[in-house]
Amino acid sequence: MDSLEQHEWRVKWSLLGLLIALLLAILTSVSVGPMDISMSDAYRILLSGLGLDAGEVERHLATIINAIRLPRSLLAVLVGAALAVSGAAIQGVFRNPLADPGLIGISGGAALAAVSMIVFGGSALAVVTEVLGQYALMFTAFLGGFAATLVVANIATSRLGVSITTMLLAGIAINIVTGAGIGIMTYMADDVQLRTLTFWQMGSLGGATWDVVLAAGSVIAIVIVMIPRYALGLNALLLGESEARHLGIDVRRVRRNIILLSAVAVGASVAVSGMIGFVGLVVPHIIRLALGPDHRYLLPASALAGALFLLIADMIARTLIAPAELPIGLITSIIGGPFFIALIVMRARQGGGI
Amino acid sequence: MSLIVEHLCFDIGSKRLLDEVSFAVNPGEVVAVLGPNGAGKSTLLRVLAGEYRHFAGDLSLNGQRYENWGTHDIARMVGVLPQHTTLMFPFSVFEVVLMGRMPHATGRVRDREIAKAALERVDMSHHISSSFPSLSGGEKQRVQLARVLAQIWDAAEQPRYLLLDEPTSALDLAHQHHVLALAQSLAQEGVGVMAILHDLNLAAQYADRLVLLEQGRVKTQGSVEQALDPDILESLFGIAVDVVPHPSQSWPLVVAR
C-alpha cells in the first residue's frame, strides 16, 4: 500500500467516524433540554419515528422530541452542513482558503433583504408577507443573497472572462452597501423590530418547525448533493484557471454553478437561522488541515463536520444559561474565532503554508 | 495528423494580438517560438491550448478543425506546461501528478502506474509523498512537467502535443537543460513539441525548427541555421548580435555584440 492509499483509507475512516459522531450528537441533542429525557428513551423515540418498532415510550416525551427538539436538531444539521460545504466550495473557486460566502456579498445581500422584511414586513412590504406568509423572510433573504451574487458576478465578468480580483473588490463594495442598508433599517426600526433584528443578526435556530425544516431542507439537500459533483473541477481549479482548462475542465460552468449553488444554500440558511458566522470559514479549514485539500473528501467531510459543529454549538446555546437561550451565532463566533487564531499561530510556528 | 495553424488572427477588443500566423507542429519535432516580449507568443500558446475560441483562421488538430473539438477532447491530445504555478493548497506530489489523468477514463490502477512512471521520468520519485507547496521552484516545475506527461502518456490513440510556456524561466542551468532534453526525447517518441523560449541558445540546441514572432506576425521561420540570422535577430530584438559556430557542438551560438 503506498502513501496515497494509506491517506485515502484514513480519509474514508474519518468520514465514517464523522458520520457516527453526527448520529450520536443528534441523539444527545434531542435528549438534552429543560425536560430530561434519557438517551435510551430518545433512541427508541427516534427509531419509532422512522417507523421501526422499538418498544413503549411515554407519549409526552415523544411529543417533545418529535415536535420541538428533532426539527431543531435537523435544522442545525442542515444549516451547519450548508454553510460549511458552501464555504469549502467557495474557497476552492476563489483558490483562496480565506474566502467565504460572506466575502462575495452572499450573506450581506441575504441579511439586508431579511432585515428589510423584519422592518417593513408590516408596512411597505406587507404584500410580500400576505402572499408568502411565514415563508416571506426566508424567500426574501434567499432573493437578496442571490441578487447580491448576480450583481457581483456581473461586475466581475468582462469579455475576457471573470476576474477574481474584481469579484472580491465588488464583494467588499456590496458588503459596505448592505452594511449601510442594515444600518438605515436599524435606525428606522421601532423598539420591537429592533429587538427582533438584533437577535436575528446574532443567529438562532429557535424558529425550527417541521415546515421550516422541510422548506429549507429540501433546498439545502439539493445543494449538498450537487456541490460534490464539481469536486474534480475544483481540484483542477486549485492548479490555476488556465491549468484547469488545459485539463479539459469547463471552468466557467464550474464557477458559475458553484457560486449559484452556494448562494442558494447560504440564502436559505441565513433566512431560517439569521447570521451564523465562522462555520463556513473555520470548518473547511480544519478539515483541510486534517484530511488534505482533495475536494472529493473535503466537501462531504465539511458537510458532516459543519453539521456536527452547529449541532454542538446549539446544544451549548440551549443549555448554558437555561431556561434562557444564547444566540447561536455568538457561540460559533466565540468558539470559532479563538480556535482559528490558535490554528493560524500553530501553523505559523511550524512554518507551514495554508 | 499534425497541429496546423493557417492564417490565424486573434483580437482582444480592438487590439490585434495575432495576425495571419501560419505554421505547424508535427509529431516528432521540437518547434521553438521566439520573439520579444509582447510579440504574442503566450497568446498563440493559449489559442492552441483551446483556451480562447474566438479566433479567425484555420486551426486543425490531428485532421479535425479546432471548432469541432471540445475543451475535453483537446485536453486528451494537448498538454500544457505553464510558466509557473501558484498552487498553495497542500496536495501531495502524487496527487498533483494524478490530476494529469483527469481528461482520461483509464481507471485508477492504470492512472497510478502512469503517474508513478511520469514522476520517475522527471526524476522526482523520491518526493512522491511530499507536500507540493514545500518543494523548491525547480522541483515544482518538474512535478508540473510530470503532471503534463501523465496527461499525454498514452501513445496508443493519436498524435499528442506538448506546449511549453517559457518552461525554463524559473530554473537553474542544469534544470533548464533537463527539461528541454526531456522534451526532445518525447519528440523522438512521436510527441509534437512547441516551446516558447527566451534563450536563443537553448532554442538552437534543442529545436528542430524556429518560429520568430514580431508584433503578432511571423517574421521568419525555418531551420535553426535559417532563422538565426544576425540581421533578422537585430531587427527583431533591437540589439546587435553575432552568430558564431559553437566551439564544440554542431549548432550555432548567438552572442550579443
Side-chain angles (χ1 to χ4, degrees), chain B residues 2 9 14 26 28 40 57 66 85 111-112 123 147 149 156 171 196 204 211 213 222 252:
Chain B
S2 299
C9 296
S14 60
N26 299 307
Y66 254 65
T85 29
D111 287 351
R112 285 172 187 223
D123 202 15
R147 170 176 69 79
L149 287 184
L171 302 181
I196 294 177
V211 176
L213 284 187

Side-chain angles (χ1 to χ4, degrees), chain B residues 154-226:
Chain B
D154 289 316
E157 298 172 24
Q158 44 198 342
R160 302 148 294 152
Y161 302 89
L162 175 61
L163 311 183
L164 307 166
D165 189 1
E166 295 180 31
T168 57
S169 56
L171 302 181
D172 62 32
L173 191 65
H175 284 128
Q176 292 184 1
H177 285 274
H178 187 97
V179 166
L180 288 173
L182 187 58
Q184 201 173 39
S185 73
L186 283 169
Q188 280 155 13
E189 293 161 28
V191 174
V193 179
M194 183 187 107
I196 294 177
L197 292 174
H198 270 307
D199 187 330
L200 301 177
N201 290 315
L202 280 176
Q205 182 171 349
Y206 290 102
D208 298 305
R209 281 190 303 119
L210 305 185
V211 176
L212 273 54
L213 284 187
E214 182 182 43
Q215 294 180 350
R217 292 199 194 90
V218 175
K219 186 167 177 76
T220 187
Q221 59 178 314
S223 69
V224 172
E225 287 70 22
Q226 286 167 346

Side-chain angles (χ1 to χ4, degrees), chain A residues 183-237:
Chain A
I184 293 170
M185 298 299 163
T186 313
Y187 184 74
M188 294 170 72
D190 65 30
D191 284 356
V192 178
Q193 289 168 346
L194 201 57
R195 199 177 153 73
T196 315
L197 200 152
T198 310
F199 278 104
W200 185 83
Q201 281 184 297
M202 291 189 280
S204 169
L205 296 169
T209 60
W210 280 111
D211 283 347
V212 170
V213 169
L214 289 179
S218 50
V219 171
I220 289 171
I222 291 172
V223 173
I224 290 174
V225 171
M226 291 290 289
I227 282 187
R229 292 167 48 131
Y230 299 98
L232 281 180
L234 286 169
N235 281 349
L237 255 179

Side-chain angles (χ1 to χ4, degrees), chain A residues 2 5 8 95 242-243 246, chain B residues 51 75 82 86 112 116 151:
Chain A
D2 62 34
E5 280 170 39
E8 284 173 349
R95 306 176 54 219
S242 298
E243 285 79 357
H246 300 155
Chain B
E51 216 170 310
T86 51
R112 285 172 187 223
K116 282 179 185 163
Q151 186 181 347

Side-chain angles (χ1 to χ4, degrees), chain A residues 43-92:
Chain A
Y43 177 69
R44 276 198 289 273
I45 292 165
L46 289 186
L47 277 193
S48 63
L50 290 172
L52 300 168
D53 183 27
E56 278 298 297
V57 191
E58 285 180 64
R59 186 174 288 174
H60 72 280
L61 295 184
T63 310
I64 290 175
I65 286 191
N66 287 334
I68 301 169
R69 293 189 190 167
L70 188 57
R72 181 162 178 154
S73 298
L74 290 181
L75 194 65
V77 167
L78 287 167
V79 170
L83 292 176
V85 86
S86 312
I90 291 277
Q91 285 156 18

Side-chain angles (χ1 to χ4, degrees), chain A residues 121-137:
Chain A
S123 49
L125 297 174
V127 192
V128 186
T129 320
E130 249 169 60
V131 176
L132 294 168
Q134 58 171 323
Y135 298 112
L137 188 63

Side-chain angles (χ1 to χ4, degrees), chain A residues 243 245-248, chain B residues 74-80 97 99-104 114 118 145-154 160:
Chain A
E243 285 79 357
R245 231 169 260 138
H246 300 155
L247 286 171
Chain B
I74 294 175
R76 292 158 70 99
M77 295 177 272
V78 180
V80 182
V97 178
M99 285 195 213
R101 299 302 299 164
M102 240 179 233
H104 305 277
I114 291 174
L145 183 57
R147 170 176 69 79
V148 179
L149 287 184
Q151 186 181 347
I152 55 169
W153 194 263
D154 289 316
R160 302 148 294 152

